Amino acid sequence: MTRTLEHDLRDAVDAEVRFSSGDRALYAADASNFREVPRGVVIPKSMDEMAKIIAICARHGASIVHRGGGTSLAGQTVSAGSVVIDSSKYCNRILEIDPQARLARVEPGVVLDDLRKAAGEHGLTFGPDPATHNHNTLGGMLGNNSCGVHSLYARRTVDNVRELEALTYDGARLTLGATSDEVLAQKLIEPGREGEIYRGLKALRDGYADEIRRRYPRIPRRVSGYSLDELLPERGFHVGRALVGSESTCVTILSATLELVPDPKHKVLLVIGFDDVANAADAVPDLLKFRHDKDSNGLIALEGMDADLPHYMKVKDFRVEDLQYLSKGNGWLLAQFGGDTQAEAEHHAEACRQRLKPHPHVVDMRLLSDPEEREKLWKVREAGLGSTAWVPGMADTWPGWEDSAVGPEQLGAYMRELKALYAKYDYKGSMYGHFGDGLIHTRITFGLHTDEQVANYRSFLEEAAALVVRYGGTLSGEHGDGRQRAELLPIMYGEKLIEAFGEFKRIWDPLGRMNPGKIVNPKPLDTDLRYGPQFERQKPEYHTLLQFPESRNSFSRAVMRCVGVGECRRHEGGTMCPSYRGTREEKHSTRGRSRLLQEMLEGDPIRNDMQSDAVHEALDLCLSCKACKHECPVSVDMASYRAEFLHHYFKSHPRPLASYGMGLVHVWAPWAAKAPWLMNLITQTPGLSAIAKIVAGVHPDRDLPKIAGKTARAQWRSASQHRDKRAILWMDSFNNHFTPAPLLAAGQVLELSGHEVMASPKGLCCGRPFYDYGRLEAARAYLERCLDVLTPLLDERTWLVGVEPSCLSVFKTELLSFFPDDARAKRLSERALTLGQYLTMHGHAPIYLERDVAVHGHCHHKSVIGIDAEIALLSATGRKAKLLDDGCCGMAGAFGYETQKYPVSEAIAKQGLLEHLDQTPDDHLIAADGFSCRHQITHFSKRQHQTLPELLLAAMTRGETA
């Protein structure tokens, strides 16, 4: 029996070998327009395995493609029938940092920010820094020759490579760097594969040197094509650098020795507003005079953007608060200056400001010295790709011509002609990018859904390629060629250099097995389109209970929102995506889940009927934290997609045990409250509790919550009547039955603040746990009852005030998803407030708090509701109140109880919440409003904690109210 590739790989290596339909579907797309289903996926656990993996693939004649962060915009990491090798999960070690030599040696899976953080301890950094720096890998940067914001002084990735350790498809392992004449002479006479490669490279160099010098653009950002110019004598015949930007079409990179640069000690940002973005581009050459070529002081970054970018952010309500740091204008340059001191950095910026004062097109200038303000404005610029995608009321935008570049002195003129080309095809697209290097980023309204749209797309790209070449520019100044631009390379380089590219690839990869169809022998740029005409004709539409108004009430359109930018794959900062952070698995990222839902629409290789086990497996570890809806630049709402999918999936699949235990806590808790001693006897007694956990599907190490002796509702007695303002205190099931103290404290705080308080009517529940297991019919019925009962009570003087964020978030999101056009739902959503929001709205603030406070925010509190009011209230006490940037606690209602999910819950807690709690001084108070969060803190850390209502009550009873 002939052994298969999959079996041979499993037998020979410890790597994760994945050839299932779900795994193949997961890696069928990147951030580009293209989709190609691979043969399988291999995730090596060490670089030592790489030679074995490739040797086995070679024995089977299987082509391979390498993948890092998966954010390629040109289709570099999709390859039909190839084996995808993903090094990001395990092969991510920083092998060495030599601060004296300013060098770092890394594996290809290292995330850029991890290297920058390690180098930063020595006052150094790796200069190239794309907008995806918090999740893109060094291997991807080497493959695409990435650049980024600070290429003004750090240049491209290729310019920062000292040496590569590489492996050819046929097994030659080589160390590649600059080659002196003496070393080259020795290499040429060596026997074997290495000598053969060097002889081929020298012959290629000698045969095409004049053409390379003539045709390669002399601009800062040439990325398109192979880096054959690095083989020229004047460039030191640097074989390692010649491979940078080759998109894994030639070799496998095992490790890279990279050059580090000093990180400016102090930075400021000069925001320059112009009357038009093209006029801003015209001013770039003047600003470049403030650049210091020999150090990292002076001008170190010069970014630009047009008025459309902030407009789109306002329409999407994304990072709108950060736009306040822009100056006035209709187009902007963001000029960053570095210095050894703050005064020096500000001196450079002020000199530039004085230079620009008489400029006829400058509208306004603003200097940002505060690091937090600078960072927020940089985030606006970095969010460009996501901010210009899926803009409500506008046609869909696509990559395709997203990083063309010219010389900076030509930028304004090129931009005007490019805009005219847009107009010719009736296209729109915001322009922003690395203006200091002459590069424009954009997403364009290509359409791509009909044959006519695809034909126009091809015609436009051909004209755009001719235009940028006429300006002496490059098709790609950052993202590479891939599937997107390789077919256009003859326009830029001519047929002779295209022959040279083919020869270069054959020297390294004679059989053509390394990432075929990229740079050399490309497939047509208008084939294999993910959402092309064929997809549009066969795309299924599903009847759903939840509505998706932001996606034209279409579930299919909603799940297509993810554009692959990969913000959900970051390792720290924000909340998204906790299950990815806990597992480092692509399928457990928001992007991975989106990809599988999109593949479900394709129907091959996975099913398209909402019954796919592969999709369920990916969605099962989603905590429904809702952070993606808030933090993802295209507002992917995975919690809603998950609930809708599970609603359909569980029609023909059994629900897990936990869905009947903790998943129905709001159903059985009222019955348990009639005899709490009996329930506690079962859940708190050793032996009995173990049986109860087995029955309920709860992990044996997880403590079950204890039912309160008396519910909050039973204990609450209102002492306030007929006051001007009234609060309906929402008696959520969690606090009401298990921890009454926060609800009772909230009621007392409201009364002390001079407000009438009434408990929410008995029998009402938001049904929060229903969504975790797809019980959408029941959830809708619960909310209909809430609308019927609460609507008459919510008059002009009455608000609904809650303590549990996960319950309040139902009224902010799910309620409107079920009833998007119901005026009652909109009113209830607007009138549902946290205690902090309610008190802030009415101008109340306590004036005393005995200690500083560290606040852990519930995911829904941070992502859906907003936690600024709570932080402001605590800060008003005169003590410091800090919101911990600790992500998700990992509990998420029933999630952390489930036997299979407990290890992930623990991993999430350890890498975020627990680490931050350990760093919090013992004398700080710990505040956490979420019931699940408090349970997680108690279970893993034993730190004492209180809710905001309890802290405020303590403050108010020790002092007076303002």
Side-chain angles (χ1 to χ4, degrees):
M1 177 179 175
T2 303
R3 293 180 60 83
T4 67
L5 170 61
E6 179 184 1
H7 289 155
D8 282 357
L9 285 167
R10 290 187 187 281
D11 287 348
V13 295
D14 189 38
E16 296 176 6
V17 179
R18 304 177 177 182
F19 279 61
S20 73
S21 297
D23 291 307
R24 294 168 59 225
L26 185 64
Y27 284 81
D30 49 19
S32 71
N33 296 330
F34 303 97
R35 174 184 180 270
E36 298 185 47
V37 181
R39 184 172 178 177
V41 179
V42 180
I43 302 176
K45 293 186 176 178
S46 72
M47 292 309 295
D48 291 337
E49 292 185 316
M50 194 64 73
K52 291 182 181 179
I53 293 169
I54 293 177
I56 294 168
C57 288
R59 193 162 67 240
H60 287 266
S63 56
I64 64 171
V65 57
H66 289 280
R67 179 170 171 139
T71 58
S72 295
L73 284 160
Q76 288 94 330
T77 62
V78 296
S79 183
S82 293
V83 174
V84 176
I85 301 177
D86 184 348
S87 299
S88 64
K89 185 176 181 180
Y90 298 114
C91 301
N92 48 28
R93 294 181 301 160
I94 299 173
L95 301 171
E96 181 184 6
I97 290 183
D98 184 341
Q100 283 70 42
R102 295 183 179 175
L103 294 175
R105 192 163 64 90
V106 300
E107 292 181 334
V110 171
V111 168
L112 173 58
D113 269 4
D114 291 344
L115 173 60
R116 294 169 74 194
K117 183 177 180 180
E121 297 177 5
H122 307 285
L124 302 170
T125 190
F126 185 67
D129 55 346
T132 53
H133 53 81
N134 60 9
H135 57 280
N136 76 296
T137 64
L138 270 300
M141 292 181 67
L142 291 162
N144 293 349
N145 195 8
S146 303
C147 305
V149 169
H150 290 102
S151 58
L152 276 189
Y153 79 92
R155 298 182 291 173
R156 304 164 298 167
T157 295
V158 67
D159 303 307
N160 294 271
V161 170
R162 178 67 60 87
E163 198 171 78
L164 295 182
E165 183 186 7
L167 181 70
T168 64
Y169 186 80
D170 51 15
R173 190 165 184 158
L174 310 168
T175 300
L176 307 167
T179 315
S180 66
D181 290 342
E182 294 78 13
V183 172
L184 179 57
Q186 180 61 40
K187 295 284 188 186
L188 295 175
I189 61 175
E190 286 186 2
R193 189 73 172 96
E194 185 170 10
E196 176 186 327
I197 289 171
Y198 275 87
R199 288 189 291 273
L201 292 176
K202 182 180 182 300
L204 183 148
R205 188 273 310 272
D206 293 344
Y208 293 96
D210 291 341
E211 189 72 359
I212 293 170
R213 295 186 183 102
R214 186 173 73 86
R215 295 297 297 255
Y216 270 58
R218 293 179 176 84
I219 59 174
R221 282 294 191 98
R222 197 284 309 159
V223 167
S224 278
Y226 287 127
S227 298
L228 301 185
D229 52 334
E230 296 295 342
L231 297 177
L232 296 174
E234 57 267 32
R235 303 295 288 268
F237 200 79
H238 202 302
V239 180
R241 290 184 176 180
L243 288 166
V244 175
S246 59
E247 302 180 357
S248 78
T249 62
C250 296
V251 298
T252 294
I253 296 174
L254 301 177
S255 69
T257 301
L258 307 173
E259 297 174 355
L260 305 175
V261 296
D263 192 16
K265 296 181 177 65
H266 298 273
K267 305 180 184 79
V268 298
L269 187 63
L270 182 63
V271 187
I272 311 159
F274 290 79
D275 56 4
D276 177 77
V277 69
N279 291 332
D282 289 337
V284 165
D286 274 346
L287 271 76
L288 291 179
K289 295 173 183 176
F290 292 91
R291 177 176 53 181
H292 291 195
D293 291 332
K294 294 184 179 180
D295 57 40
S296 57
N297 295 336
L299 183 68
I300 58 175
L302 184 57
E303 300 292 286
M305 60 185 186
D306 63 13
D308 286 339
L309 180 57
H311 170 68
Y312 294 160
M313 297 179 78
K314 290 176 183 176
V315 171
K316 298 173 71 169
D317 194 24
F318 179 67
R319 305 197 76 95
V320 175
E321 66 279 4
D322 297 342
L323 296 176
Q324 64 180 301
Y325 302 110
L326 276 175
S327 61
K328 298 175 184 177
N330 202 41
W332 293 268
L333 292 179
L334 310 181
Q336 189 179 57
F337 295 86
D340 291 331
T341 65
Q342 184 74 10
E344 181 186 358
E346 291 179 358
H347 170 76
H348 291 310
E350 186 57 35
C352 181
R353 187 209 293 260
Q354 294 302 319
R355 178 72 163 268
L356 289 174
K357 271 188 175 180
H359 196 289
H361 296 289
V362 171
V363 175
D364 185 29
M365 287 185 279
R366 184 175 185 182
L367 183 63
L368 302 180
S369 297
D370 181 81
E372 185 175 342
E373 293 179 354
R374 292 199 320 266
E375 180 65 19
K376 287 182 177 180
L377 195 52
W378 275 131
K379 291 296 184 185
V380 169
R381 164 57 195 89
E382 288 180 351
L385 188 157
S387 300
T388 55
W390 295 90
V391 180
M394 194 178 87
D396 302 338
T397 60
W398 308 85
W401 195 248
E402 74 280 354
D403 67 327
S404 58
V406 296
E409 68 284 353
Q410 302 276 8
L411 183 59
Y414 169 63
M415 184 178 291
R416 292 181 181 92
E417 286 208 51
L418 184 57
K419 283 187 171 185
L421 190 60
Y422 281 7
K424 175 181 176 180
Y425 285 86
D426 197 24
Y427 288 156
K428 292 182 180 179
S430 176
M431 291 186 177
Y432 57 96
H434 312 296
F435 282 19
D437 281 329
L439 183 142
I440 297 173
H441 285 317
T442 184
R443 289 178 64 93
I444 301 173
T445 53
F446 289 128
L448 304 184
H449 296 313
T450 68
D451 293 329
E452 181 182 6
Q453 289 173 339
V454 172
N456 287 336
Y457 156 77
R458 166 176 277 281
S459 179
F460 170 87
L461 291 177
E462 290 170 348
E463 287 198 53
L467 172 64
V468 77
V469 170
R470 178 158 54 83
Y471 273 93
T474 179
L475 312 180
S476 172
E478 185 158 44
H479 298 150
D481 302 313
R483 287 291 315 273
Q484 186 66 66
R485 285 172 285 275
E487 190 187 356
L488 302 172
L489 286 174
I491 298 174
M492 177 176 171
Y493 285 113
E495 293 301 329
K496 188 172 182 180
L497 282 183
I498 296 301
E499 292 175 2
F501 291 167
E503 188 173 332
F504 184 74
K505 178 174 171 61
R506 283 191 295 273
I507 290 169
W508 295 103
D509 179 31
L511 298 177
R513 298 287 192 265
M514 295 293 295
N515 201 9
K518 316 303 189 301
I519 303 181
V520 172
N521 299 321
K523 293 183 179 181
L525 59 83
D526 52 1
T527 59
D528 301 316
L529 297 175
R530 262 200 297 162
Y531 301 135
Q534 181 179 357
F535 172 81
E536 194 67 19
R537 287 190 288 266
Q538 67 187 27
K539 180 181 66 177
E541 194 53 76
Y542 302 102
H543 173 71
T544 61
L545 284 184
L546 290 174
Q547 304 300 304
F548 301 92
E550 73 285 354
S551 299
R552 305 174 192 168
N553 289 327
S554 165
F555 178 78
S556 295
R557 182 171 172 79
V559 302
M560 289 164 55
R561 295 185 73 86
C562 176
V563 295
V565 69
E567 273 289 300
C568 48
R569 283 175 56 97
R570 63 192 178 203
H571 297 166
E572 59 184 21
T575 303
M576 178 178 70
C577 172
S579 47
Y580 173 75
R581 295 187 188 186
T583 64
R584 298 294 169 90
E585 279 281 351
E586 172 71 11
K587 68 181 175 183
H588 295 311
S589 68
T590 304
R591 184 181 72 181
R593 296 182 180 111
S594 294
R595 285 289 181 259
L596 285 172
L597 285 166
Q598 292 167 8
E599 287 294 315
M600 184 181 71
L601 303 181
E602 294 277 356
D604 181 26
I606 59 177
R607 299 168 64 178
N608 65 359
D609 58 357
M610 292 270 212
Q611 299 298 313
S612 167
D613 290 334
V615 176
H616 175 259
E617 183 181 346
L619 292 175
D620 192 41
L621 286 190
C622 173
L623 285 80
S624 297
C625 68
K626 297 181 180 286
C628 49
K629 185 172 176 61
H630 174 68
E631 296 177 19
C632 171
V634 290
S635 300
V636 168
D637 186 5
M638 190 52 63
S640 294
Y641 309 161
R642 176 180 186 268
E644 187 65 52
F645 175 86
L646 293 179
H647 163 66
H648 294 270
Y649 182 82
F650 284 130
K651 288 179 179 180
S652 60
H653 292 81
R655 287 187 170 91
L657 288 174
S659 72
Y660 300 96
M662 297 309 300
L664 291 177
V665 60
H666 55 301
V667 175
W668 57 257
W671 294 96
K674 298 178 184 298
W677 62 269
L678 178 59
M679 177 60 71
N680 289 334
L681 176 68
I682 296 170
T683 62
Q684 308 300 312
T685 304
L688 290 177
S689 66
I691 297 172
K693 291 176 186 179
I694 293 172
V695 172
V698 174
H699 192 277
D701 291 342
R702 179 66 75 179
D703 298 326
L704 291 169
K706 185 177 181 180
I707 290 281
K710 291 182 69 176
T711 65
R713 182 183 296 281
Q715 296 181 61
W716 174 249
R717 294 291 181 270
S718 176
S720 56
Q721 299 290 331
H722 308 301
R723 295 181 177 177
D724 290 340
K725 301 296 181 184
R726 180 173 67 168
I728 300 173
L729 183 59
W730 181 253
M731 292 288 175
D732 66 272
S733 297
F734 305 108
N735 287 306
N736 184 41
H737 293 100
F738 297 102
T739 56
L743 284 172
L744 298 174
Q748 289 179 267
V749 167
L750 289 166
E751 290 193 331
L752 287 172
S753 300
H755 298 262
E756 179 182 340
V757 183
M758 67 171 286
S760 58
K762 191 174 183 180
L764 294 186
C765 178
C766 71
R768 161 54 64 201
F770 281 146
Y771 302 93
D772 292 338
Y773 301 99
R775 291 187 170 97
L776 295 189
E777 292 101 335
R780 182 186 174 98
Y782 270 51
L783 288 178
E784 282 182 325
R785 175 165 170 73
C786 287
L787 288 176
D788 291 341
V789 175
L790 292 174
T791 297
L793 301 176
L794 295 174
D795 55 29
E796 291 302 318
R797 73 184 187 100
T798 308
W799 284 262
L800 184 73
V801 179
V803 171
E804 173 55 42
S806 66
C807 292
L808 280 178
S809 73
V810 172
F811 298 128
K812 298 295 185 182
T813 56
E814 283 85 0
L815 176 66
L816 298 178
S817 294
F818 277 124
F819 310 104
D821 301 317
D822 191 322
R824 300 176 306 160
K826 292 179 181 178
R827 181 170 182 79
L828 174 53
S829 180
E830 292 168 355
R831 289 257 152 181
L833 303 174
T834 65
L835 177 64
Q837 289 174 326
Y838 182 85
L839 293 175
T840 300
M841 181 177 68
H842 290 95
H844 296 285
I847 62 171
Y848 177 83
L849 199 62
E850 61 182 6
R851 288 184 281 165
D852 293 340
V853 186
V855 180
H856 168 75
H858 186 285
C859 294
H860 294 185
H861 204 158
K862 293 181 289 188
S863 300
V864 176
I865 303 167
I867 201 169
D868 291 347
E870 283 71 20
I871 299 300
L873 272 179
L874 293 171
S875 298
T877 64
R879 307 298 302 199
K880 293 180 180 178
K882 179 183 179 182
L883 178 65
L884 299 177
D885 184 18
D886 53 1
C888 175
C889 74
M891 191 64 193
F895 182 96
Y897 287 102
E898 291 190 48
T899 300
Q900 301 301 320
K901 297 173 183 175
Y902 178 85
V904 178
S905 174
E906 182 178 18
I908 294 169
K910 285 182 176 179
Q911 64 97 49
L913 170 64
L914 301 182
E915 181 180 341
H916 281 79
L917 288 179
D918 287 344
Q919 296 169 358
T920 301
D922 292 339
D923 62 349
H924 278 48
L925 296 167
I926 305 295
D929 277 0
F931 176 82
S932 293
C933 305
R934 302 197 306 272
H935 190 97
Q936 191 81 318
I937 292 171
T938 299
H939 183 74
F940 284 118
S941 81
K942 310 304 180 186
R943 283 290 296 259
Q944 296 298 310
H945 52 79
Q946 292 177 283
T947 60
L948 176 72
E950 292 168 299
L951 290 175
L952 294 182
L953 180 61
M956 295 174 75
T957 53
R958 286 186 174 90
E960 301 175 2
T961 56

